[in-house]
Structure formats: C-alpha cells, structure tokens
Amino acid sequence: DAGVHSKAWYAASCDRRMAEDALYRSNKDGSFLIRKSSGQDSRQPYTLVVFYNRRVYNVPIRFIESTRQYALGREKTGEERFDSVAEIVENHQRTSLVLIDSQNNTKDSTKLKHIVRVS
C-alpha cells in the first residue's frame, strides 16, 4: 500500500479525463490530485495530475520493485526516490516539482499547493 487511500488528494475512482476536468475547473496553479494510472501497470500504479499555467500535466508515479520505492516520471540517473506516494506529495508541497511539456519541450515548475477533489 502506497499510503494513498486515506488521503484527501487521492481520487480513487477517477480516470484521466475526470481528473483533467476537475483541475481545469480549479484553475489554480499548483492544483493537484493523484489517480490510478490508466494502464493498470504494477510498475506505474499512480499518476500525479498537476495544473500549472493553464495546462494539466500527467506525471507517472513509478514503483521500483528492487527498492520498493516510488519515483516520478521516466527513470533517470540520480532521481529522487520515496518510500511512499504520500512522501512524494509532502516533498513537493515544500520543494518545486519540474513539469516537462513533451510537446514543445519546455520546463516549468510549481509546488503542489491546492488539493482538488473530484466530485
């Protein structure tokens, strides 16, 4: 268990479209939630969905089997690893999260500030 189920930011029964709609409605930079990943892959169980600069970013949360830890995005050298998904959220409420736009290769960053609940 990644420590997500009791959390306000975890949208258990939410798909990608519902998550994106909820974040567009919030329209606040740093709005976020975590949902189950669409692919139901054990190596990528969750997705962090973040709103920033009128865009929604879907950041995969990977589960690293060998260390039983979690990391964000694609695997990279020297990446930050966390013991739970909750630790990722807590960390990025204090330190900025880099958001990469794959379409036009730009980088932004924001902290996780506003929990969005999906109704």
Side-chain angles (χ1 to χ4, degrees):
D1 182 280
V4 297
H5 295 286
S6 59
K7 302 294 189 198
W9 40 254
Y10 181 58
S13 57
C14 172
D15 65 15
R16 181 180 182 135
R17 223 196 82 230
M18 285 167 68
E20 290 181 357
D21 288 350
L23 286 163
Y24 280 120
R25 279 197 307 275
S26 80
N27 201 23
K28 287 204 282 266
D29 284 351
S31 295
F32 75 99
L33 60 81
I34 286 180
R35 63 176 175 81
K36 279 196 177 113
S37 287
S38 318
Q40 291 306 313
D41 180 348
S42 61
R43 289 184 306 272
Q44 189 189 305
Y46 303 103
T47 301
L48 169 62
V49 192
V50 184
F51 182 89
Y52 185 74
N53 202 9
R54 298 189 305 278
R55 302 224 19 216
V56 170
Y57 295 84
N58 285 278
V59 184
I61 298 176
R62 284 181 297 108
F63 178 66
I64 301 145
E65 191 65 53
S66 58
T67 58
R68 315 223 36 92
Q69 288 176 303
Y70 295 88
L72 288 172
R74 292 201 193 99
E75 193 167 350
K76 46 212 166 298
T77 325
E79 67 187 0
E80 280 187 284
R81 292 182 172 187
F82 301 90
D83 293 324
S84 68
V85 174
E87 269 184 40
I88 293 177
V89 171
E90 286 155 19
N91 179 63
H92 289 297
Q93 286 174 321
R94 292 189 305 271
T95 63
S96 283
L97 168 70
V98 175
L99 301 166
I100 298 165
D101 179 340
S102 51
Q103 270 134 13
N104 42 24
N105 238 340
T106 54
K107 281 187 184 179
D108 269 314
S109 68
T110 185
K111 290 180 183 165
L112 301 178
K113 297 184 202 129
H114 312 285
I115 295 170
V116 171
R117 288 175 179 274
V118 179
S119 44

